[in-house]
Amino acid sequence: MRKFISAFGFSNTIGFIGLGNMGIGMAHNLAKTRVVYAYDASPAWQSKIESSNIKPVSQIADVAANADTIVTMLPNDKIVKSVAQEIFKKQKKTLIDSSTISPYASYELAKMAQDTKNIYADAPVSGGVGGAKLGTLTFMVGAEKELYEKISPILKEMGKNIFHCGKIGGGQIAKMCNNMALAIQMISVAEALALGKNMGMDPAMLSSIMSVSSSRCWSVDTYNPAPGVMPNVPSSKDYDGGFMVELMLKDLGIAIDASKKSGTDTQLGQHAQQIYNKLNEHFGKKDFAIVYKELTKSK
């Protein structure tokens, strides 16, 4: 397919690698205005395609052959580096990595890009599966200002809030801190709702009170962990289809490692890591809000 240049200076053909719970929604939003050449190691994602502008390909090289700008949404540092090596076999590619990885991995990826005459920006997201589907994600971008301004129009097709977090690695630092706080927050909300339930309080009533009181937060009013309180969140779907425990544990590992290297005391973060490490033994593929279920089960 012939590439043509949009008003933003990018080809209207774009690549996307990593079509999991988050990536599939992001790709569909890009497909509203662009042809998206997409690849995932698991072919199961193709059953979720709802746009003729999304073109599945069989290998990473096919994405790089058809698109000069590529967005990645992948599980961990190792996979991102492996995919980047494939992309950077060609030159003059712009890689926008929206995975949550270590800031130190971002520094390495930037060096890889520079050495192969390519371009790299870290642009992790927050907002969950719902935000990915609705195009309301928050992007935290680590890149030089000129590159940030150049890729912002693409990010705005997938998100509502776009923040320039400084140079390479800045986006991952922001995301790392956000997710550590989220893990602690979810546990605290789950504990409070479990305490109320175990003492006879309806979780829906308690959540309504908390959502307009001093404990109001995202884990209460947007992503409630108690089943039945909100109809379209993972807790009401047997904790399926959300942000998996194993991914939250991975993110906490990134934060704790960074805290040690930076000399930062993160006692609550470390405790959250211990809790999710235990949950991961049996519920690794379930949404991280399942901590509520564990707190309310019969002792």
Side-chain angles (χ1 to χ4, degrees):
M1 178 173 291
R2 184 175 64 87
K3 300 177 184 178
F4 60 98
I5 306 301
S6 73
F8 302 129
F10 278 102
S11 166
N12 258 43
T13 298
I14 197 165
F16 204 106
I17 299 173
L19 285 296
N21 291 335
M22 293 291 291
I24 190 68
M26 296 166 70
H28 273 102
N29 281 307
L30 288 171
K32 292 176 181 178
T33 59
R34 304 172 187 271
V35 174
V36 181
Y37 283 88
Y39 170 80
D40 191 281
S42 171
W45 74 274
Q46 295 184 28
S47 64
K48 300 178 182 179
I49 296 175
E50 298 177 358
S51 171
S52 60
N53 272 355
I54 295 180
K55 310 294 183 184
V57 296
S58 60
Q59 55 186 353
I60 295 168
D62 292 336
V63 177
N66 285 285
D68 292 330
T69 301
I70 300 166
V71 180
T72 48
M73 175 56 86
L74 299 163
N76 57 52
D77 296 24
K78 183 178 179 180
I79 296 174
V80 174
K81 289 178 185 178
S82 176
V83 168
Q85 286 176 342
E86 286 295 311
I87 293 170
F88 292 161
K89 286 180 179 178
K90 292 185 175 291
Q91 294 182 354
K92 298 182 179 179
K93 300 296 177 182
T94 298
L95 173 58
I96 304 171
D97 181 39
S98 290
S99 316
T100 298
I101 60 175
S102 165
Y104 302 103
S106 287
Y107 304 150
E108 292 180 40
L109 286 160
K111 181 67 164 53
M112 286 170 56
Q114 184 179 35
D115 290 346
T116 55
K117 299 181 180 179
N118 288 288
I119 299 170
Y120 169 82
D122 57 293
V125 304
S126 182
V129 176
K133 185 175 182 179
L134 295 173
T136 58
L137 292 170
T138 293
F139 281 86
M140 294 153 270
V141 185
E144 295 291 344
K145 187 176 180 181
E146 182 179 358
L147 178 57
Y148 165 75
E149 292 175 347
K150 188 175 181 181
I151 66 176
S152 287
I154 294 174
L155 304 182
K156 288 177 181 177
E157 294 175 23
M158 300 179 284
K160 183 178 179 181
N161 302 298
I162 318 296
F163 291 96
H164 185 209
C165 300
K167 296 181 180 180
I168 291 294
Q172 296 297 350
I173 292 170
K175 179 62 188 291
M176 171 186 70
C177 295
N178 178 80
N179 274 27
M180 183 177 72
L182 174 60
I184 296 165
Q185 177 195 99
M186 180 59 78
I187 293 167
S188 71
V189 168
E191 282 190 348
L193 292 177
L195 175 60
K197 183 177 185 294
N198 290 342
M199 296 185 70
M201 171 70 75
D202 176 18
M205 172 60 74
L206 183 53
S207 295
S208 295
I209 293 167
M210 292 171 69
S211 68
V212 292
S213 301
S214 54
S215 59
R216 180 180 62 82
C217 61
W218 189 80
S219 296
V220 171
D221 63 18
T222 303
Y223 209 82
N224 197 284
V229 173
M230 293 180 173
N232 296 314
V233 297
S235 61
S236 294
K237 301 175 183 178
D238 195 29
Y239 298 97
D240 289 328
F243 186 54
M244 294 185 291
V245 167
E246 63 182 29
L247 293 180
M248 177 55 85
L249 182 60
K250 179 263 296 183
D251 290 357
L252 283 166
I254 291 171
I256 301 310
D257 178 64
S259 74
K260 292 175 180 177
K261 290 178 178 176
S262 64
T264 306
D265 187 4
T266 53
Q267 293 182 46
L268 290 177
Q270 291 178 51
H271 189 49
Q273 183 184 39
Q274 293 169 7
I275 291 171
Y276 278 107
N277 189 51
K278 186 175 181 180
L279 283 171
N280 192 51
E281 293 175 4
H282 301 290
F283 304 107
K285 301 297 183 181
K286 293 290 187 177
D287 183 79
F288 78 112
I290 201 169
V291 65
Y292 171 81
K293 184 177 180 179
E294 285 298 283
L295 290 167
T296 54
K297 72 180 183 180
S298 299
K299 301 297 184 182

